[in-house]
Amino acid sequence: MTLDAKSSSQGAEGEDSVLRHSADRSYRAMLMGLIVGALAGGVMNALWGGSAALMWFVEGITEPLGHLFLRLIFMIVVPLLLSALSLGVLGLGDLRAVGRVGVRTLLVTVVISTLAVLIGILLVNTIRPGEGMAEAMRANLRGTAQEGRLSVAAAETAPGLGALFRILPDNPVRAAAQGDMLAVMFFALVFGIGLTLAPPERIQTLTAFLEGLYEVTMAIVALAMRIAPYGVACLLFSLTARFGFGVLRNLAAFVLVVLLGLALHHFVTYSILLRFAAGIPPLRFFRAASPVLLTAFSTSSSNATLPLTLRLAQERLGIPRDVGNFVLTLGSTANQNGTALFEGVTVLFLAQFFGVPLTWSQQLLVVVMAVLAGIGTAGVPGGSLPMIVPVLVAVGLPAEGIGIILGVDRFLDMCRTVLNVSGDLTAAAVVAAWDGRLRFPALGPEDGEHSQAVGAVPPD
Ligand code: ASP
């Protein structure tokens, strides 16, 4: 996204309470959808599990209804990938103009996003939240999920370098039509590079078009989120009606793994960075940032939180205005650590759930794609959902799999948004410190605040 596109989607401060209110409502509705759907399905399974009538109801009514909602998300994946990633590269292209701060921001973004995904992937491989279901059930699940799946062209393998070059589409339209998401992503990146190289005055209309396309896809995501509680109820009903309450154990384990990963990244990675790269005490930093983190939690939106983040960074964290404006605005869309971690965990969890073993090279692909998806994800509620689809498809998993985690997504969205925003603040503090311009208050405001410049150790 270009900075302009992002700032246009920022919520004004006056909208904060409205946003928070509607976020609360949608969270409650989603939770209700989850509980009602799962309970009703589980009870049906206990009473009539496996009966022809129940299977007819699931296959003929609740599953198609649930998929209707999913398809609303799937249909925007290609235009979203194209607009978000190409505009993202165009935004990063501006880095040349901002020089040192830009390069350091990019460096911090890529490093901490990668660490986030690695933490998540390590946890899923250790705790294995998706396992433990009987093989017969799993085969059944795989079968149903495959019925309506998107094409999995990307899962086919080619020997040697051929596998690598296959992500270069010779025809992007065909790649999109075949659901070869990796190739579409690659095309979007190359297209973005083209945008940065073309004469700016000649591509204004095209850029405006891409920004418009991006806004439309976001509006459709918002629409999907409004009907999501019903979709979630149908999907959870279908799941527990088929397999009983047992599957909820996996779902609970998934939630715990995501929360553990987010906590580790927040309290270990960010803390180490703050302490050693920025030279400030992490706990005091997080305490000072708490109003922003609470806003991120309640709105589930980095973009809606941005006005508050900008002000607090300057007034309470001592981050200079120019560094804050740049790093935080760019970060509210591009530096999405919580989202990247969540995407990595989700894809591996679903692979375990469907019993599809992923090789190390496929897991590496998940890391790269999750980092890219984190960069391309919009800072809005549910922004990462459409971005998980290409990663799933690229490793040969049914895109419908996201239906399984949707019921718990709203809560995880709130939590990962906190990480997205605290990651932006951490990155801004580190970049400011490397510039020798971070003036974090040495004492808390209650102790009589004074500032000190800290951590002037830039890596060149
Ligand atoms: N809600 C997240 C944010 O605004 C994006 C996501 O992961 O869905 O940062």
Side-chain angles (χ1 to χ4, degrees):
M1 216 89 4
T2 61
L3 297 184
D4 282 354
K6 268 178 284 152
S7 46
S8 74
S9 52
Q10 293 163 18
E13 275 173 64
E15 290 167 1
D16 272 5
S17 60
V18 178
L19 264 166
R20 207 166 308 150
H21 183 64
S22 65
D24 283 352
R25 263 205 333 244
S26 86
Y27 175 56
R28 272 203 301 273
M30 206 81 128
L31 201 63
M32 282 303 285
L34 167 88
I35 294 171
V36 171
L39 265 182
V43 170
M44 294 290 177
N45 176 278
L47 294 175
W48 299 294
S51 76
L54 182 60
M55 282 305 100
W56 177 86
F57 189 68
V58 168
E59 282 166 17
I61 309 282
T62 55
E63 247 166 26
L65 279 178
H67 285 175
L68 189 80
F69 156 67
L70 287 182
R71 271 165 200 276
L72 199 57
I73 292 184
F74 295 164
M75 72 168 82
I76 54 143
V77 168
V78 171
L80 174 63
L81 277 185
L82 184 64
S83 54
L85 285 181
S86 57
L87 287 171
V89 176
L90 182 62
L92 293 177
D94 292 348
L95 294 184
R96 277 178 316 200
V98 233
R100 203 178 50 218
V101 168
V103 173
R104 287 179 184 158
T105 307
L106 182 63
L107 181 81
V108 176
T109 300
V110 171
V111 169
I112 57 179
S113 301
T114 309
L115 285 175
V117 188
L118 287 178
I119 289 178
I121 284 193
L122 208 73
L123 287 178
V124 193
N125 278 310
T126 317
I127 301 176
R128 313 198 75 77
E131 289 186 349
M133 213 194 304
E135 187 43 45
M137 255 182 166
R138 179 167 281 150
N140 187 351
L141 183 68
R142 220 162 27 224
T144 35
Q146 276 175 352
E147 278 160 24
R149 72 193 298 184
L150 298 178
S151 155
V152 285
E156 294 157 9
T157 49
L161 281 178
L164 194 66
F165 293 158
R166 253 190 24 72
I167 69 167
L168 294 165
D170 50 2
N171 180 343
V173 179
R174 188 170 53 221
Q178 289 177 340
D180 188 346
M181 295 300 163
L182 207 52
V184 175
M185 264 180 150
F186 196 84
F187 172 72
L189 290 178
V190 174
F191 197 80
I193 294 172
L195 285 179
T196 63
L197 297 176
E201 67 285 357
R202 305 287 292 275
I203 55 159
Q204 277 165 358
T205 315
L206 178 60
T207 313
F209 168 78
L210 288 170
E211 280 167 357
L213 185 64
Y214 174 79
E215 290 301 329
V216 170
T217 59
M218 284 303 101
I220 298 175
V221 170
L223 191 68
M225 295 324 277
R226 287 176 79 148
I227 58 166
Y230 307 101
V232 164
C234 289
L235 291 166
L236 261 291
F237 177 92
S238 312
L239 204 63
T240 50
R242 269 179 195 280
F243 306 114
F245 283 123
V247 292
L248 298 182
R249 263 203 309 273
N250 294 90
L251 213 52
F254 165 72
V255 172
L256 288 180
V257 168
V258 174
L259 293 182
L260 182 63
L262 293 177
L264 278 177
H265 194 54
H266 197 276
F267 292 110
V268 179
T269 317
Y270 291 168
S271 297
I272 290 178
L273 267 174
L274 286 169
R275 164 79 61 196
F276 297 105
I280 51 180
L283 280 182
R284 202 185 296 161
F285 181 86
F286 293 136
R287 208 173 53 213
S290 57
V292 162
L293 304 187
L294 275 173
T295 310
F297 183 76
S298 51
T299 60
S300 285
S301 167
S302 313
N303 283 352
T305 314
L306 185 59
L308 194 61
T309 318
L310 288 171
R311 202 173 64 207
L312 180 133
Q314 204 185 326
E315 289 172 5
R316 290 185 73 170
L317 304 179
I319 295 169
R321 193 192 176 122
D322 57 331
V323 174
N325 277 357
F326 179 76
V327 182
L328 298 170
T329 311
L330 188 72
S332 73
T333 293
N335 186 26
Q336 308 263 34
N337 286 211
T339 296
L341 185 148
F342 165 78
E343 300 201 353
V345 172
T346 303
V347 173
L348 258 71
F349 164 76
L350 289 175
Q352 287 172 359
F353 199 73
F354 288 118
V356 177
L358 295 186
T359 61
W360 281 109
S361 55
Q362 280 174 311
Q363 297 201 21
L364 195 67
L365 180 67
V366 173
V367 175
V368 176
M369 288 185 83
V371 171
L372 271 179
I375 292 176
T377 295
V380 299
S384 55
L385 289 178
M387 282 300 195
I388 298 179
V389 174
V391 194
L392 284 175
V393 175
V395 292
L397 291 167
E400 279 74 6
I402 63 167
I404 292 166
I405 55 110
L406 268 178
V408 289
D409 182 65
R410 196 66 180 84
F411 173 64
L412 294 181
D413 195 2
M414 298 167 90
C415 300
R416 64 182 182 256
T417 306
V418 173
L419 266 272
N420 291 345
V421 173
S422 57
D424 295 341
L425 286 171
T426 303
V430 169
V431 170
W434 281 345
D435 230 27
R437 294 197 290 137
L438 178 63
R439 300 191 65 80
F440 187 70
L443 297 171
E446 61 281 359
D447 312 315
E449 187 174 311
H450 68 265
S451 305
Q452 60 182 14
V454 282
V457 276
D460 277 317

